[in-house]
Amino acid sequence: QVQLVESGGGLVQAGGSLRLSCVVSGSIFRINAMGWYRQAPGKQRELVATISSGGYTNYADSVKGRFTISRYNLRNIVYLQMNSLKPEDTAVYYCNADIERYVGRRADYWGQGTQVTVSS
């Protein structure tokens, strides 16, 4: 069984910072891309940032220059450093990973989500 567990969410004032972490555990052959998505009330889930196994990153325009995604492959962890937070960043943030449990058997996995609330 594969599990993704996020942590680091909370309540912060506008302009503040938070760092989200997501730990992947279980029987895994390889983790390919990892990423963070978010879903605000009444809105669809949207991509925040992704990072490939080789470290190539991609960001939503709304977070470029403020958020940084990174990963620690030896521990199967992905981070999201969020700076200069704005009220519109308020959402549930979900960790995602493209995982091969066995050679050639890839699937998308999701965490349970962590709430980020930015007050004005």
Side-chain angles (χ1 to χ4, degrees):
Q1 181 130 4
V2 174
Q3 280 193 313
L4 279 65
V5 179
E6 301 106 332
S7 62
L11 173 64
V12 64
Q13 287 190 330
S17 298
L18 285 174
R19 188 174 85 152
L20 305 183
S21 302
C22 173
V23 179
V24 181
S25 63
S27 176
I28 296 166
F29 170 68
R30 178 164 53 210
I31 302 176
N32 299 303
M34 304 180 82
W36 290 93
Y37 291 72
R38 67 187 180 186
Q39 187 166 16
K43 295 188 176 181
Q44 289 191 326
R45 191 173 297 190
E46 64 176 3
L47 180 147
V48 176
T50 61
I51 183 167
S52 71
S53 57
Y56 177 81
T57 58
N58 179 53
Y59 295 92
D61 287 343
S62 59
V63 307
K64 280 180 182 176
R66 299 187 298 121
F67 291 9
T68 302
I69 188 170
S70 60
R71 62 191 284 174
Y72 183 25
N73 290 331
L74 289 179
R75 297 286 182 91
N76 294 340
I77 301 174
V78 62
Y79 301 100
L80 184 69
Q81 177 66 42
M82 305 185 294
N83 298 328
S84 302
L85 282 161
K86 304 175 181 180
E88 50 263 44
D89 294 318
T90 296
V92 178
Y93 283 70
Y94 296 91
C95 175
N96 171 267
D98 174 2
I99 294 173
E100 289 180 70
R101 295 196 65 195
Y102 312 98
V103 175
R105 295 283 298 274
R106 298 173 65 163
D108 252 1
Y109 291 84
W110 293 89
Q112 80 287 353
T114 185
Q115 177 70 45
V116 171
T117 303
V118 184
S119 63
S120 58

